[in-house]
């Protein structure tokens, strides 16, 4: 273990302030109150909309929100718990052998899960990043949305490394953009891979790494304390790589024919977590899967009905230590895993 890694472990394992014990009973009313608070403060629904979803009057919602504030359940995030989600978290942990699972509630099963997942991810990261850490990050809509929920503060010797190229396309969902903003929030140093996500040949990839100064960034990725990743899905064109034009229909079709269900940093894999045999892997400017698998804390944050197969494969490929998702995705993932085992 490097001296830097020892310092980080010492910082992250130091005594922390105990969480507030609000003495909240596990009742139907408390669960409804917490759902109302989540919808209002995280999903930004109106009081009338919440009342309609929960089947109560608007005055009841106003009273619940006031009580949640009085109990200190609502601060920047939401303190409290939903017993059914805790049980679901434990099921997912046991099914996949994970250290920690965080499941964000949804007010409606068909709601876009990204805002809820991003809020939960931002809250988790705010509590674990520390001085001296070296964090590798992926990209995508889910990760970019977490920026709004991070508790910005100055950290000493904090480093963020983008694990995928893409700087040649200055778009909102560019891998470099997320890494840079993430580093800025903690006044850390950001390191990018200044190259396209996909290059035109193996020779170009080799030249960029060996002769154009990118080798040092890849070497830094060999000594990460935490990696933050999200998955993309092959079966839909709504995933970020397809929507912004990194991959075309021909890529998508040929990958699907080879059994690919999803990707991590443009590493395409099947439902069993095996990388598929496809020439695109020789053209990707990203850190390798073997490097990611060695990182002590591997955070996977993703959800959505179109990503369930991709999530199942990612569990086997990257073997995350921390998994953050929404309640509907978690339930569907468990059903699929049990079906595969049966």
């Amino acid at each position: 273990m490097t001296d830097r890694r020892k310092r980080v472990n010492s910082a992250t394992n130091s005594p922390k302030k105990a969480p507030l014990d609000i003495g909240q009973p596990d009742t139907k009313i408390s669960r409804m109150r917490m759902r109302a608070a989540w919808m209002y403060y995280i999903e930004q629904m109106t009081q009338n909309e919440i009342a309609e979803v929960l089947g109560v009057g608007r005055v009841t919602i106003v009273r619940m929100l006031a009580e949640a504030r009085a109990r200190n359940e609502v601060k920047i995030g939401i303190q409290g718990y939903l017993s059914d989600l805790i049980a679901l978290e434990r099921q997912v942990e046991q099914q996949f052998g994970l250290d920690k699972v965080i499941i964000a509630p949804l007010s409606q099963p068909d709601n876009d899960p990204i805002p809820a997942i991003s809020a939960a991810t931002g809250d988790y990261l705010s509590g674990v990043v520390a001085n001296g850490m070296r964090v590798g990050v992926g990209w995508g809509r889910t990760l970019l949305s977490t920026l709004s929920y991070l508790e910005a503060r100055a950290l000493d010797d904090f480093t963020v490394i983008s694990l995928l190229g893409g700087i040649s396309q200055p778009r909102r969902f560019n891998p470099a953009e997320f890494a840079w903003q993430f580093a800025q929030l903690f006044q850390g140093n950001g390191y990018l891979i200044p190259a396209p996500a996909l290059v035109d040949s193996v020779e170009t990839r080799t030249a960029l790494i060996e002769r154009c100064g990118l080798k040092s960034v890849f070497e830094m990725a060999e000594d990460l304390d935490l990696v933050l990743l999200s998955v993309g899905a092959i079966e839909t064109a709504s995933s970020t790589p397809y929507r912004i034009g990194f991959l075309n229909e021909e890529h998508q079709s040929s990958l699907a024919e080879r059994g690919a269900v999803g990707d991590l940093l443009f590493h395409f894999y099947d439902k069993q977590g095996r990388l598929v045999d496809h020439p695109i892997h020789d053209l990707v400017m990203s850190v390798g899967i073997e490097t990611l698998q060695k990182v002590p804390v591997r955070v996977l944050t993703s959800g959505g009905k179109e990503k369930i197969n991709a999530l199942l494969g990612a569990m086997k490929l990257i073997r995350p230590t921390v998994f953050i998702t929404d309640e509907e995705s978690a339930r569907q993932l468990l059903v699929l895993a049990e079906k595969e085992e049966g």
Side-chain angles (χ1 to χ4, degrees):
M1 181 181 291
T2 65
D3 291 339
R4 184 190 60 77
R5 180 73 56 77
K6 290 177 181 178
R7 293 196 302 272
V8 171
N9 288 344
S10 176
T12 56
N13 292 329
S14 60
K16 297 181 180 179
K17 185 177 180 181
L20 180 65
D21 181 1
I22 59 176
Q24 174 179 288
D26 183 16
T27 66
K28 181 178 179 181
I29 293 299
S30 68
R31 292 195 296 272
M32 182 179 291
R33 183 175 65 248
M34 294 309 303
R35 285 192 179 274
W38 185 273
M39 292 180 216
Y40 188 76
Y41 291 102
I42 299 300
E43 298 189 32
Q44 299 183 347
M45 296 172 63
T46 67
Q47 294 173 354
N48 286 333
E49 290 172 337
I50 298 169
E52 183 176 352
V53 170
L54 297 182
V56 298
R58 179 179 174 277
V59 173
T60 300
I61 298 301
V62 173
R63 188 182 303 118
M64 284 182 174
L65 293 175
E67 185 175 0
R69 292 293 298 271
R71 287 170 173 264
N72 287 325
E73 292 168 349
V74 176
K75 296 180 182 177
I76 295 176
I78 296 180
Q79 303 292 324
Y81 61 85
L82 297 168
S83 61
D84 55 338
L85 293 189
I86 291 177
L88 188 57
E89 288 171 351
R90 291 297 299 141
Q91 283 182 273
V92 177
E93 286 171 0
Q94 293 167 2
Q95 174 68 40
F96 297 104
L98 304 171
D99 293 342
K100 186 179 184 65
V101 171
I102 300 172
I103 295 177
L106 291 178
S107 57
Q108 295 284 358
D110 293 333
N111 280 7
D112 180 3
I114 288 181
I117 296 172
S118 298
T121 304
D123 180 68
Y124 167 76
L125 291 172
S126 296
V128 299
V129 294
N131 296 329
M133 287 189 73
R134 182 176 290 180
V135 179
V137 299
W139 74 307
R141 190 160 66 102
T142 301
L143 296 188
L144 190 66
S145 297
T146 67
L147 295 171
S148 300
Y149 301 101
L150 289 168
E151 182 183 341
R153 62 187 186 278
L155 294 176
D156 295 328
D157 191 26
F158 184 73
T159 303
V160 177
I161 302 168
S162 178
L163 303 175
L164 177 69
I167 200 169
S168 63
Q169 298 195 30
R171 298 172 182 247
R172 181 166 177 256
F173 297 120
N174 195 295
E177 183 65 22
F178 170 72
W180 186 250
Q181 290 191 45
F182 188 78
Q184 285 187 316
L185 283 171
F186 300 103
Q187 297 183 28
N189 296 314
Y191 293 85
L192 310 177
I193 299 178
L198 293 173
V199 294
D200 60 354
S201 68
V202 176
E203 292 74 20
T204 298
R205 184 180 191 278
T206 301
L208 286 171
I209 295 174
E210 298 294 336
R211 299 196 293 275
C212 297
L214 299 188
K215 187 174 182 179
S216 61
V217 179
F218 282 83
E219 289 176 342
M220 291 179 68
E222 294 289 337
D223 188 25
L224 298 173
D225 300 295
L226 181 149
V227 63
L228 177 63
L229 301 167
S230 187
V231 303
I234 293 295
E235 59 195 55
T236 174
S238 64
S239 287
T240 306
Y242 311 109
R243 288 194 295 110
I244 70 172
F246 276 7
L247 299 179
N248 56 37
E249 291 184 6
E250 183 179 350
H251 287 136
Q252 184 180 10
S253 177
S254 62
L255 285 162
E257 288 174 359
R258 288 167 169 80
V261 296
D263 83 280
L264 281 163
L265 303 178
F266 283 22
H267 298 286
F268 297 88
Y269 56 87
D270 62 19
K271 198 184 295 185
Q272 302 306 316
R274 299 171 302 209
L275 294 178
V276 300
D277 182 14
H278 195 283
I280 198 171
H281 289 144
D282 296 326
L283 308 177
V284 177
M285 295 297 298
S286 72
V287 172
I289 290 295
E290 299 83 2
T291 298
L292 303 179
Q293 291 171 337
K294 295 184 295 185
V295 180
V297 181
R298 301 177 298 280
V299 182
L300 178 64
T301 174
S302 245
K305 59 184 179 181
E306 77 281 0
K307 292 187 177 182
I308 305 305
N309 285 325
L311 286 172
L312 181 62
M315 289 294 174
K316 302 171 183 178
L317 176 64
I318 199 65
R319 300 189 300 276
T321 59
V322 179
F323 177 45
I324 306 173
T325 192
D326 65 281
E327 57 182 311
E328 288 302 313
S329 296
R331 292 190 178 98
Q332 292 180 38
L333 182 60
L334 284 174
V335 169
L336 181 60
E338 291 170 358
K339 180 179 178 182
E340 292 292 311
E341 290 178 352

